[in-house]
Amino acid sequence: MGGYLKNGIWQTAAPPLVNAQGEFVRSESQFRGWITDDGSGDFEPEAGRYHLYVSYACPWAHRTLLVRALKGLEDIISASVVDPVCGENGWMFSSYPGATIDHVNGLAALHELYTLNRSDYTGRVTVPVLWDKRTGRIVSNESSDIIRMLNGAFTDFQRHSVDFRPTSLNSEIDAMNDFIYRHVNNGVYQCGFATTQPAYNEAVASLFDALDILEDRLSSSRYLMGDFIAEPDLRLFPTLVRFDCVYFIHFKCCLRRITEYPNLANYLKDMYQVPGVAGTVNMDHMKRHYYLSHPHLNPAGIIPVGPTFDLSAPHNRHHFF
């Protein structure tokens, strides 16, 4: 899937993302600047100053689109969307339906943005990227940081007054974030990219043990932290919405579908039906990306026609009120 930059030069073949045991290992984000509203960070919040580079296919970028939509920041923070297929040239801008050109810098490939910021950059080129149009710099390419900045630094500009990280719940939110990341968000990739049977078996067991725990948690709570949407929900939803159509098939996460979990399935529909969320979900981009960007997992490039799951169908989560 894609390549990487080595000393600012694009390489079409990226190093493997597995260790000696055949376990998937995620690379670390290298740009970790901060926007704060009190002047203590590297950047200041301003309307129209920042731009998101995203993919509808990528669950990590999906988080940022969710916060942007739910906070009502679409007119404050602009966005460009890459082509769903990440090939030998990495993420590209295109005219594919739903994708866009690079509205800010007029680039053809996302890796050009990285070298525009740092000419000798070495590493993978990932989405999302939060770009500062004023200084021509990458603020961050770490989704966890970006969603926190969008949540906390732009309250003077938001159309919707919601807080996904109440201070009183910081420790509980961080613990749930960590659980979801290790076992679910990253867990599906550990299943899909495992290159040994023991690594795969361990990843599958961890993933479905976690889904069982989340299913039980959602039996007594509308959302993960209670009766309001919080950071962990914005992290879990992008994985769940891709699960049956991509991870169940493509990543061999096939012990059970989400539709087989009553609480998770209804929670997924509930989240999807929150105003603003459906507009961040592009199933065509999701399926096209995964099934065409990993030829070693799907050499024939066949995109499954299903499964069907009506996210707009009624759910039962209202009984918590």
Side-chain angles (χ1 to χ4, degrees):
M1 183 180 97
Y4 80 115
L5 284 166
K6 182 176 182 180
N7 297 320
I9 306 299
W10 182 251
Q11 314 290 316
T12 57
L17 282 171
V18 293
N19 61 19
Q21 290 72 48
E23 301 166 329
F24 172 72
V25 180
R26 186 171 297 279
S27 57
E28 295 290 330
S29 302
Q30 296 191 39
F31 298 100
R32 304 291 294 269
W34 275 94
I35 304 170
T36 59
D37 58 3
D38 61 3
S40 63
D42 310 291
F43 303 86
E44 304 80 34
E46 295 179 26
R49 176 173 173 177
Y50 299 100
H51 189 77
L52 270 173
Y53 288 93
V54 296
S55 164
Y56 281 129
C58 172
W60 316 97
H62 195 170
R63 302 173 176 183
T64 66
L65 289 172
L66 284 169
V67 177
R68 176 175 174 259
L70 294 175
K71 298 282 282 189
L73 294 171
E74 299 96 326
D75 295 333
I76 304 302
I77 299 169
S78 53
S80 294
V81 180
V82 294
D83 188 277
V85 179
C86 186
E88 65 176 13
N89 291 312
W91 295 110
M92 303 288 291
F93 301 98
S94 79
S95 59
Y96 186 81
T100 70
I101 61 170
D102 175 4
H103 296 298
V104 173
N105 295 294
L107 304 174
L110 189 66
H111 68 77
E112 297 173 322
L113 186 77
Y114 277 63
T115 53
L116 187 63
N117 180 90
R118 184 187 298 169
S119 61
D120 62 348
Y121 175 81
T122 294
R124 294 183 180 270
V125 173
T126 59
V127 286
V129 177
L130 184 60
W131 178 262
D132 179 8
K133 292 186 277 189
R134 174 185 289 182
T135 63
R137 294 165 57 195
I138 292 176
V139 177
S140 178
N141 69 334
E142 171 51 56
S143 65
S144 299
D145 295 351
I146 294 172
I147 64 171
R148 203 159 290 179
M149 286 184 272
L150 298 188
N151 180 60
F154 291 88
T155 54
D156 290 342
F157 307 98
Q158 64 189 16
R159 293 199 319 275
H160 309 305
S161 182
V162 290
D163 183 7
F164 302 118
R165 188 178 171 81
T167 303
S168 61
L169 291 176
N170 278 357
S171 59
E172 292 91 339
I173 285 173
D174 286 342
M176 182 55 65
N177 285 344
D178 181 65
F179 176 82
I180 292 170
Y181 169 76
R182 286 188 293 112
H183 300 293
V184 182
N185 299 149
N186 203 48
V188 294
Y189 285 84
Q190 289 176 321
C191 295
F193 291 144
T195 57
T196 66
Q197 193 69 48
Y200 168 75
N201 291 347
E202 181 178 350
V204 168
S206 174
L207 168 63
F208 283 93
D209 283 349
L211 290 177
D212 288 342
I213 290 170
L214 294 171
E215 171 73 5
D216 181 66
R217 185 181 184 94
L218 289 169
S219 69
S220 58
S221 174
R222 183 169 185 177
Y223 303 111
L224 291 172
M225 305 309 298
D227 61 358
F228 68 99
I229 295 173
E231 267 189 9
D233 300 294
L234 302 175
R235 292 164 173 259
L236 180 60
F237 175 79
T239 299
L240 292 187
V241 80
R242 290 161 174 77
F243 198 96
D244 288 5
C245 68
V246 172
Y247 304 138
F248 180 87
I249 303 168
H250 190 54
F251 281 180
K252 298 183 286 293
C253 301
C254 48
L255 195 57
R256 286 179 293 277
R257 289 175 55 187
I258 296 302
T259 51
E260 298 175 59
Y261 291 91
N263 295 321
L264 282 169
N266 280 286
Y267 164 85
L268 176 57
K269 289 186 286 187
D270 188 9
M271 286 287 295
Y272 179 81
Q273 293 170 33
V274 171
V277 171
T280 70
V281 176
N282 188 317
M283 202 63 71
D284 173 61
H285 276 228
M286 293 175 191
K287 294 176 73 171
R288 187 172 178 82
H289 166 72
Y290 281 98
Y291 290 108
L292 299 184
S293 298
H294 309 132
H296 64 295
L297 298 181
N298 186 29
I302 301 298
I303 301 176
V305 296
T308 57
F309 183 13
D310 185 3
L311 294 170
S312 299
H315 61 79
N316 67 357
R317 307 297 290 173
H318 298 298
H319 74 269
F320 289 109
F321 290 134

